[in-house]
Structure formats: structure tokens, C-alpha cells
Amino acid sequence: MALALGGLSLGCGDDAAPGGNGGTGTGTSTGATGDDTATSMTPNDSGSSAGSGNMEGSESSSSSGDPPPVEVTIEGQVVDFVSMAAGIGDAEISVYDMPGLTDTADNEGMFSVGPFDADTQATFLVAPSENYLGAVIPVAVEDEPTQDGQQLAQIQRLFVEGQIMALEPQMPAMADLTEGIVIVRLLNNTAVMEGPTTVTMDPAPDPGTFYGPDANGAPVLDQTTIEFAALPVLVYFNVPEANPGEISFMATHPTRICEVLFPDFPVLGEHITLVDITCVPPE
């Protein structure tokens, strides 16, 4: 069994850049179609006050005729990461390192947060609750005043606990859900057909605290390669809390060029951080 991802939308992708408004980034979530539609929730192969001038000196942007900077409001829904079904009501949403940008989702999980500067990155946090672990979700802020359709996804505690129980006979140490979990996901799973993607974590994780499915889908403890196209992930347990930049990942592939889309991310206790990578053919 594989942690919290068995029912995810992880269909084959193409060699186009990701886009849209998905659960972790900017792609609209879809089912596992196996087609070549580029999104962020389905794998694909690609791959936040302006001051005024002083009274005696330079002119302000308005007086010079320049348009004011675009401020973006992000709207969407908090959903269950496994089923991608009904929204999660009353979810508490905030933005990492941006105090004051918060919202509480309504009964259907709908939220609205802003303003953000256009063409930047924001890291959304969904707080842990009685039934769900928290989530750390990087989002690419676009350049329209309203960026709608954004999905923020959480994973049920019971689902994660069930997956851990299945792995416990192989694990030398118990999984501690008060620590962080990091899931590294290869967006363009078509790369698996050309060879495994090797992932390196720095600092290195403790033995027995990470795994990935092998080429047949069976979980293998301490595996460092992404080999299973239907579930192109590696999962890291018991990850200590960390600020952005304190933990990093690097990915390599035999024939492709790999990139971590959002390389600076926080790790928080009781939260799952999703780190997306792409491995694209060389030009």
C-alpha cells in the first residue's frame, strides 16, 4: 500500500509546462485520464507595497502614467486529497510568512485569500484538524486580479494511519505524525518509461523513514528512485520542522533534465508538504 496517494489523480502527462489551478501549484485537478493534458494535480512533463515618490523628487507611478501593480485574490476550495470529492468545511487557511492573509472555508470548503502581488509564489497552509492532517501547498500566483479554481488538498488522518500500519512490519522506527511528512512527486510520470528518477534529500533522512513503490507498485523501504508510473512518488516520515531552504531535494534522470518546481518550502509538524518535480526531455 502507498501512503495517502492510492486514489489520487496521477495520470500520464506530456512534455508541456504545467498551468491552471490545481491542488499544489497552478493546475486544475483532473482524474487519471492517461492523456497529455498538462495540469498540476495530474502529472505532466514540464515542467508577493509599492512606495510613492517624495514630494520634491520623482513622480509617483500614477502621475507618470504607469498602471498600478496588479493585486491578486486567490479563490478556490479545500478538498480531500485522496478522493478529490466534496469540499472540507471550516478548514483554517493561512499563508506562510504572510501574517493577516487568512480565511476559514465555508461549509463547502470554499475560500478567498488575498491580496498577493502578481507573478510571485505563495505557500498556503491548511491547519490540521481532528480528522485531517495539515497541508503545505505552494501556489504560483498569476497576473489576473482574481485567480479562481485553486484547490487546497488535505489527507485524512485515518487514511495515513492505515498506510503506516501496513508498513510497520518493515519499519525500524515508528512513524510520528506530530512530525512532518514530505511527499516528493514526479509530475511527468511518462519519464518513468525511460528510466527511474533518483531523488536525493539534503540533509539525508534517517534509515527506515522513507519509502517508494517499486516498478510493480510494492512499497520498498529506503528506496530513493521513482519507478512506478501509476504512483510516481517518494514519501518521507518523521521529518523535523524546518524553515524554507533548510531541506532540499535534487532529482536526476538517465535521459531527462529534472527540476524542483518550488525548491524552498517549510516543513511543519502534523502537516504534509508536497514537493513537485519535473523531468523533461532535453531540447
Side-chain angles (χ1 to χ4, degrees):
M1 298 179 72
L3 171 65
L5 293 170
L8 280 181
S9 305
L10 288 166
C12 291
D14 62 10
D15 292 331
N21 290 320
T24 66
T26 59
T28 302
S29 173
T30 65
T33 61
D35 64 14
D36 288 345
T37 302
T39 67
S40 285
M41 285 301 294
T42 53
N44 61 79
D45 277 355
S46 67
S48 210
S49 39
S52 61
N54 60 49
M55 295 296 294
E56 299 177 357
S58 61
E59 295 180 341
S60 67
S61 60
S62 58
S63 63
S64 64
D66 294 333
V70 175
E71 293 186 334
V72 180
T73 297
I74 297 179
E75 301 178 348
Q77 187 176 36
V78 183
V79 298
D80 187 293
F81 197 19
V82 177
S83 68
M84 301 307 296
I88 301 173
D90 301 321
E92 296 290 340
I93 301 158
S94 60
V95 182
Y96 184 80
D97 210 23
M98 299 184 72
L101 292 185
T102 63
D103 194 19
T104 300
D106 65 15
N107 292 337
E108 297 181 351
M110 305 303 294
F111 71 90
S112 177
V113 179
F116 299 92
D117 290 342
D119 298 318
T120 58
Q121 174 188 333
T123 300
F124 277 70
L125 308 177
V126 185
S129 65
E130 180 180 356
N131 296 322
Y132 285 87
L133 289 171
V136 179
I137 304 167
V139 172
V141 182
E142 300 174 356
D143 57 4
E144 295 296 328
T146 300
Q147 180 173 323
D148 58 10
Q150 182 70 50
Q151 290 183 330
L152 305 178
Q154 290 183 278
I155 298 176
Q156 291 189 46
R157 292 179 182 271
L158 286 177
F159 194 94
V160 175
E161 291 166 357
Q163 302 296 308
I164 290 171
M165 288 177 63
L167 286 167
E168 278 180 352
Q170 304 178 50
M171 299 175 68
M174 291 290 293
D176 183 359
L177 295 186
T178 66
E179 298 271 29
I181 296 174
V182 178
I183 297 176
V184 176
R185 177 178 61 174
L186 176 63
L187 291 180
N188 52 314
N189 60 356
T190 55
V192 174
M193 303 174 189
E194 301 174 18
T197 299
T198 300
V199 177
T200 303
M201 179 179 179
D202 184 21
D206 293 333
T209 61
F210 61 100
Y211 82 96
D214 65 15
N216 296 315
V220 177
L221 208 62
D222 295 342
Q223 179 162 300
T224 60
T225 52
I226 297 176
E227 303 179 6
F228 189 45
L231 194 63
V233 300
L234 296 176
V235 181
Y236 300 79
F237 294 103
N238 298 359
V239 183
E241 292 198 353
N243 296 317
E246 294 181 349
I247 294 175
S248 64
F249 288 93
M250 181 178 68
T252 58
H253 187 275
T255 63
R256 297 188 173 212
I257 300 171
C258 300
E259 178 185 8
V260 179
L261 292 187
F262 299 98
D264 295 325
F265 51 85
V267 176
L268 304 176
E270 286 192 273
H271 287 69
I272 296 176
T273 298
L274 190 62
V275 178
D276 283 336
I277 62 175
T278 62
C279 293
V280 301
E283 296 182 355

